[in-house]
Amino acid sequence: MASQKEPALFGRGELTDIYDSLFDFESKNKSGSYPIHKKVSIEGQSLLEWVTAKLDFSNSLRVLDAGCGTGNTLFRLNEQFGITGVGLSVSPKEIEFAKQHAEITSVQDSLFFYCRDFSKSIKDLEFFDVIIAIESLKHNEDPFSVIQRFVGQLNPGGTLIIVDDFIIGDTSSQHIEKHKSHWSAPGFISIRRLKEKLEAFGINYQLTDLSKFVPTKKKWLQTMILGVLKAMKVFLNSSASRFRNLETYEGAILLEKLYRKGETGYYMVVCRG
């Protein structure tokens, strides 16, 4: 693995801008890797602690983290289980941070981080015992083909773990469409459609609803923040970068609003190869 050739670096336009701007905001005063997904607490555990307690990672020799952020998941799994792994992100800033942390912690021969879009072919990365996609699947135009590709790249007996937001019900709404636009999330789909596709593909899966653990702001605070953001967007309309950052934040608040209204759910989907 240490001699593995690094794939070509590339991002994905607007999505790259979103996660680069999130990194600029979230990485301040942080010296180590950190999770970029929801800060949920499940039975007194973080999301990663809960997942690793529920699933057996002891034989997970090689792990792919598709949408790895700053590499937090891989660093934790390497420390706890001794795994080797590959992390992919469309954010050059996240990947540079992860690489630096790998050097600092002397795991650069075990964990590899590449700036690339995992919705493209990843055949050159070979096979994995576990593939993890936490809050990254919905950023893909065709999440179903991505799932098929992931399952096809698992070693025998391997596991695909998806944790993401899914729409409850079969109809869209203004807030759903706005969130999809602001977060470059064309694959923000209904949980019913996901189940139908997995069954049509003949993929064995287990579904766990984690929606009740998602923290949301109070309704009045969500409304106030959205009002302030609307006013700021009008005021800063001439500044493209600031406007993009405001839309990213607005998309996050809209998602919280969808959770509070019961239009969105947070699910873990475990597929077996």
Side-chain angles (χ1 to χ4, degrees), residues 48-49 51-53 55-61 63 73-84:
L48 183 57
E49 289 170 338
V51 169
T52 54
L55 303 173
D56 182 13
F57 281 81
S58 59
N59 295 319
S60 304
L61 303 179
V63 177
T73 295
L74 288 178
F75 288 120
R76 298 296 172 265
L77 292 177
N78 173 265
E79 181 180 11
Q80 187 173 355
F81 301 102
I83 63 99
T84 62

Side-chain angles (χ1 to χ4, degrees), residues 30-260:
K30 286 188 171 65
S31 57
S33 66
Y34 58 92
I36 63 169
H37 51 73
K38 293 178 182 57
K39 310 302 187 289
V40 299
S41 177
I42 307 172
E43 300 170 357
Q45 298 174 302
S46 69
L47 176 63
L48 183 57
E49 289 170 338
W50 185 84
V51 169
T52 54
K54 294 291 182 183
L55 303 173
D56 182 13
F57 281 81
S58 59
N59 295 319
S60 304
L61 303 179
R62 192 160 188 259
V63 177
L64 171 66
D65 188 354
C68 66
T70 62
N72 182 72
T73 295
L74 288 178
F75 288 120
R76 298 296 172 265
L77 292 177
N78 173 265
E79 181 180 11
Q80 187 173 355
F81 301 102
I83 63 99
T84 62
V86 174
L88 306 179
S89 170
V90 295
S91 166
K93 294 184 178 182
E94 290 179 344
I95 291 300
E96 182 60 29
F97 187 92
K99 285 182 174 180
Q100 290 178 358
H101 190 66
E103 292 277 352
I104 291 169
T105 54
S106 301
V107 295
Q108 68 273 23
D109 291 333
S110 299
L111 302 180
F112 300 84
F113 298 96
Y114 304 132
C115 185
R116 64 185 299 186
D117 179 359
F118 67 76
S119 70
K120 311 300 182 185
S121 175
I122 55 172
K123 285 185 178 180
D124 59 303
L125 299 177
E126 301 177 349
F127 292 88
F128 297 89
D129 300 295
V130 175
I131 298 178
I132 301 172
I134 299 179
E135 296 180 21
S136 58
L137 185 69
K138 72 177 184 180
H139 293 302
N140 297 276
E141 287 281 355
D142 187 353
F144 307 117
S145 64
V146 172
I147 290 172
Q148 286 182 297
R149 188 179 304 124
F150 283 162
V151 171
Q153 214 151 326
L154 289 171
N155 284 322
T159 304
L160 168 62
I161 303 167
I162 299 166
V163 183
D164 219 323
D165 310 298
F166 293 93
I167 299 169
I168 305 296
D170 299 314
T171 58
S172 187
S173 69
Q174 181 182 11
H175 288 156
I176 287 173
E177 293 305 316
K178 250 189 173 180
H179 172 72
K180 289 170 69 171
S181 174
H182 290 353
W183 273 79
S184 186
F188 186 25
I189 57 173
S190 75
I191 192 64
R192 182 193 63 79
R193 189 172 172 216
L194 175 73
K195 291 191 289 186
E196 287 179 351
K197 284 288 188 177
L198 291 177
E199 289 163 8
F201 295 153
I203 297 174
N204 294 322
Y205 70 94
Q206 180 181 5
L207 195 67
T208 305
D209 187 352
L210 303 175
S211 306
K212 65 181 180 181
F213 300 109
V214 175
T216 61
K217 297 176 181 63
K218 294 185 181 297
K219 182 179 178 179
W220 68 266
L221 185 55
Q222 292 175 351
T223 302
M224 185 186 75
I225 292 173
L226 289 173
V228 170
L229 289 173
K230 183 177 180 179
M232 290 179 68
K233 284 167 65 177
V234 172
F235 181 72
L236 296 172
N237 196 29
S238 60
S239 175
S241 62
R242 290 185 179 181
F243 191 77
R244 171 68 267 179
N245 291 342
L246 289 176
E247 287 200 333
T248 299
Y249 188 34
E250 182 182 12
I253 300 300
L254 286 172
L255 185 61
E256 285 193 20
K257 192 162 187 170
L258 290 169
Y259 271 101
R260 185 163 283 277

